Amino acid sequence: MTELTISEVSKQYHLAPSTLRYYERLGLIPGVRKRNNHRVYNEANLEKLNSIVCFKNSGMSMSELQTLLSYQETGPDLDNILAVLNEHEVSVARQLAQLEKYHRHITQKVAFYSAIKEAEATGAPRPDWADYKPGDEQ
């Protein structure tokens, strides 16, 4: 069974130890044991932390996260869990679509400025952005 100290978890997840302690105080990571007066995170704690990091990094608020993790994983709370997760999934899908749009724009800018550089190097006419602009640009 894997057990990591707070400093090991902090390094692995790129989180300050104070953030980990804060998550514990909020009850988001229950059951963190102490050994020789030092926190020790087991596999169950790390699985919970994986979920927290995933949800936080994908835009879930602390309030939503606390609500989600307050539900029991059985019975009537399953509907509540699914409702929160379905709503978040839709939100992440919207974010991904927007990021894909931004990525297309950036890719076209790279191509455009590469063409400008090539034109300057060869004495060719300077390219026109209209020839590179993504079709979904507003």
Side-chain angles (χ1 to χ4, degrees), residues 44-131:
N45 303 138
L46 297 176
E47 285 180 30
K48 189 68 80 168
L49 186 56
N50 282 331
S51 291
I52 292 166
V53 169
C54 170
F55 294 132
K56 286 285 296 154
N57 288 343
S58 60
M60 187 176 278
S61 71
M62 282 303 293
S63 173
E64 291 168 319
L65 191 55
Q66 285 179 279
T67 298
L68 175 64
L69 296 179
S70 73
Y71 294 129
Q72 299 298 310
E73 296 178 352
T74 60
D77 277 352
L78 289 174
D79 288 335
N80 295 326
I81 290 170
L82 285 169
V84 172
L85 290 177
N86 284 325
E87 185 177 317
H88 190 65
E89 182 181 29
V90 168
S91 174
V92 169
R94 272 192 236 112
Q95 291 176 55
L96 281 171
Q98 189 65 49
L99 284 172
E100 287 171 358
K101 181 179 173 182
Y102 294 156
H103 182 249
R104 285 190 301 274
H105 182 86
I106 292 165
T107 299
Q108 293 310 114
K109 285 289 189 180
V110 168
F112 177 61
Y113 285 104
S114 294
I116 290 174
K117 184 175 178 177
E118 179 68 23
E120 286 182 356
T122 63
R126 184 180 174 97
D128 185 343
W129 172 242
D131 296 330

